[in-house]
Amino acid sequence: MWLQQRLKGLPGLLSSSWARRLLALLAFLLAASWYLGGAWPRLLLRLRPGGASGGAAGLCLQAETRAWRKGGEARLLGEGPGQGPPGLVGNGHLLLDAQANRLWVAPMGAPGPAWPTDYGPLAQLRGPAGAESEAGASVLLPKEGALRRVRCVQPGGPGGACVTVREELLAHRGRPHLYLQRLVVDNPTDRLVALEVTGLGSSSSSSSSSGRSFATSLEKAGDRQFFLSSGRALQPAGEKLVLVVAAAKKLVSRVQVAPKSRFEETLLSVVLSSEPIEAAQLDETFGRLREAAKREMMEVLPLRTEELVQEHRRAWDELFISGVEMRKITDAHTPSSDTVNLTLYFVLSTTPAPLLDPRHGPEEKEKMEATLNYADHCFSGHATMHAENLWPGQLSTVLQVLQLSNLWKLTLQKRGCKGLVAAGAHGLMQGMVLSFGGLQFTENHLQFQSDPEVLQNSYALRGIHYNKDLISLAVLLDADSKPFLHVSVKFQEKPVKLYACEGGCANDPVELTSQVHGHTFPVMVTQPITPLLYISPDLVHLQDLRHTLHLKAILAHEEHMAKRYPGLPFLFWFSVASLITLFHLFLFKLIYNEYCGPGAKPLFRSKV
């Protein structure tokens, strides 16, 4: 009876607004709890001080990564494979996937694709045990050719200090078979910290293998010890075999860092791969690769780590003398600076640099440099700035990176840049920069043939090789958003006179100098369309060029755009004006009929 009375009174209770609001709130909370399910404990853990992303470890990580964010060139990576761009370092012969801990190799002396292996190339520091919280991050530094990782761990016990584990990974640009993994552990606490070393180079791997198909043994040469691993690349059935031999410096299996101290170690590894071979050549090829790996390992072990790192950075600095800088983007189809730098980095990382390879002789290198300094007929065709498949905004796997690199090489080869592709990483960088803005070398000059309709974006192309000099060309916008061209020259050796003239060459050519402020040129658009700028060491050639273009007109950029997009057609405006006129005539007729037509009412009522 009591329950029936309460149920009968329920409609009256729900008639009040506060009761309905309370019921709606309870329903929302129940739905949210059901939807989140088991996520509540994890969410509370994150919000709790000292949780997975908070506390001392989180603050330590913020301090460590602050310098990365200030640099502007660094690209933070995701926590695992497929989350953001892949964490790759490479030099064209070997490619290291840091997130998946996998080695990729290119067959020696063959232009074939890179193949994955079962070899885990990286050592990993685990611990310390009993940590209260932990936070980590990874960053890719395209212009340094390096990947850095940091892990902050708050040990259990009193005190809020964190143990910091830093790691730097690079595939040496000037030594094609060498890669380095630098490990640094800072222990500011008052306790001894112990970390386990697993994976490559640890003593625990001496009796096992670094991968399912790699056999590992301990080699001794004097007072030095290193592991030698032999195996095969993972290839489809029916392919010729690509053998891989890796030598890695031996590390201890357990690292103990004293209170208020630092531990530093550098893992040096040498990786050699064979050309594709038949199964009958297996033993002979393995023996040759092992001996070569031992020799090269003995050469690099005595070298100081800083010397090797500086060699690597100088090589990447030399590559990034050229490049593309995005300054102002006004449309959604133009790639950002981040996209451009990552694309350049990934393509260069998967391309050898024969100009830095000691195996190539002086004559061969001189021929490559000649091609680099004057790439005849490269780049032909329209600019690639808006080719989204060449400048993709998202890359998440190693295979996508390799496909992108192959697409770039094929594109450049088909557009008159075979010589640059043959010159390796240096030539590929030059070709990509030329293609971005539509720059093309001809027999007598360098011409800038960008589409006048895409000059609303501001960007700079730097380090264009021309007769051993470096030219930088920028498309800039003035205060009224009108584009103009800025050219500067950096003479490398004996100064050579260079001249330039804008589209149509109606004005006398200007001599380019190494002045800091450079030279500016207006954007002149011709009819029919011809290049917007010409640069040549031959003054007479540019003076004669104006007589051979046979132009109908030369317009300023704003005049060209006004003619190109004159607005709505005349018929539209005539129709609008006609409708307005007809409406007013109809309105006038209504007023006239109302007051002046037959049967119209008088305007003023008579008093009589």
Side-chain angles (χ1 to χ4, degrees), residues 384-439:
T384 64
M385 180 194 302
H386 294 104
E388 296 182 5
N389 57 338
L390 291 176
W391 306 97
Q394 291 185 346
L395 291 171
S396 57
T397 65
V398 180
L399 286 177
Q400 290 177 348
V401 170
L402 294 174
Q403 290 170 358
L404 175 64
S405 179
N406 291 334
L407 180 60
W408 263 111
K409 293 170 185 175
L410 179 63
T411 301
L412 293 176
Q413 287 173 346
K414 298 299 183 182
R415 298 294 184 89
C417 307
K418 288 185 178 180
L420 290 181
V421 175
H426 293 81
L428 217 61
M429 169 65 95
Q430 182 80 351
M432 294 172 74
V433 173
L434 292 174
S435 76
F436 188 88
L439 283 162

Side-chain angles (χ1 to χ4, degrees), residues 243-563:
L243 306 184
V244 181
V245 172
K249 180 181 176 181
K250 180 185 176 183
L251 299 179
V252 295
S253 60
R254 183 180 177 86
V255 172
Q256 292 185 336
V257 187
K260 309 292 184 182
S261 64
R262 166 180 288 192
F263 167 81
E264 295 185 54
E265 184 61 85
T266 300
L267 176 65
L268 299 177
S269 298
V270 170
V271 177
L272 277 79
S273 60
S274 71
E275 65 280 359
I277 63 169
E278 301 291 346
Q281 303 172 276
L282 194 68
D283 294 336
E284 177 188 353
T285 306
F286 262 137
R288 175 169 49 84
L289 291 178
R290 289 191 186 101
E291 291 301 319
K294 291 178 184 179
R295 287 195 303 270
E296 190 160 349
M297 195 66 181
M298 294 305 297
E299 291 176 4
V300 298
L301 280 176
L303 300 178
R304 294 177 58 248
T305 300
E306 285 303 321
E307 293 179 2
L308 294 173
V309 173
Q310 290 303 319
E311 284 180 4
H312 171 78
R313 289 178 179 171
R314 283 194 297 269
W316 274 98
D317 288 342
E318 183 180 333
L319 282 173
F320 271 96
I321 287 177
S322 305
V324 180
E325 179 185 350
M326 303 304 300
R327 298 186 177 179
K328 184 179 180 181
I329 301 175
T330 59
D331 59 68
H333 302 290
T334 301
S336 64
S337 288
D338 194 22
T339 297
V340 171
N341 285 330
L342 272 182
T343 301
L344 292 173
Y345 169 76
F346 283 138
V347 173
L348 296 178
S349 295
T350 55
T351 305
L355 286 173
L356 302 175
D357 195 332
R359 294 174 300 173
H360 294 277
E363 294 182 0
E364 191 175 358
K365 290 183 178 181
E366 186 177 351
K367 184 178 179 181
M368 293 180 189
E369 289 178 353
T371 303
L372 193 65
N373 291 328
Y374 197 94
D376 193 12
H377 297 96
C378 177
F379 175 84
S380 63
H382 60 274
T384 64
M385 180 194 302
H386 294 104
E388 296 182 5
N389 57 338
L390 291 176
W391 306 97
Q394 291 185 346
L395 291 171
S396 57
T397 65
V398 180
L399 286 177
Q400 290 177 348
V401 170
L402 294 174
Q403 290 170 358
L404 175 64
S405 179
N406 291 334
L407 180 60
W408 263 111
K409 293 170 185 175
L410 179 63
T411 301
L412 293 176
Q413 287 173 346
K414 298 299 183 182
R415 298 294 184 89
C417 307
K418 288 185 178 180
L420 290 181
V421 175
H426 293 81
L428 217 61
M429 169 65 95
Q430 182 80 351
M432 294 172 74
V433 173
L434 292 174
S435 76
F436 188 88
L439 283 162
Q440 181 183 9
F441 282 95
T442 67
E443 184 178 355
N444 297 300
H445 63 256
L446 171 65
Q447 60 188 25
F448 178 53
Q449 51 186 11
S450 177
D451 186 351
E453 298 180 21
V454 301
L455 297 184
Q456 73 275 11
N457 299 300
S458 178
Y459 59 92
L461 310 175
R462 68 175 186 273
I464 302 164
H465 291 260
Y466 194 177
N467 293 336
K468 297 186 178 181
D469 299 322
L470 297 177
I471 297 175
S472 295
L473 169 64
V475 177
L476 305 177
L477 304 176
D478 61 14
D480 298 325
S481 296
K482 297 178 182 178
F484 65 94
L485 306 179
H486 180 274
V487 181
S488 60
V489 181
K490 183 178 180 181
F491 297 107
Q492 298 296 98
E493 296 181 359
K494 182 179 178 180
V496 177
K497 289 186 177 182
L498 289 174
Y499 303 90
C501 61
E502 67 275 7
C505 279
N507 299 318
D508 291 333
V510 176
E511 182 179 351
L512 301 178
T513 63
S514 57
Q515 298 177 14
V516 177
H517 60 271
H519 305 267
T520 59
F521 297 87
V523 176
M524 306 302 293
V525 184
T526 63
Q527 295 180 354
I529 296 294
T530 58
L532 303 178
L533 185 73
Y534 301 90
I535 300 175
S536 175
D538 189 347
L539 175 61
V540 177
H541 168 71
L542 293 182
Q543 291 172 340
D544 293 340
L545 190 64
R546 74 179 72 176
H547 305 296
T548 63
L549 296 177
H550 310 295
L551 305 172
K552 294 181 180 179
I554 302 177
L555 305 175
H557 183 264
E558 56 271 21
E559 296 178 20
H560 167 77
M561 297 303 291
K563 284 192 172 184

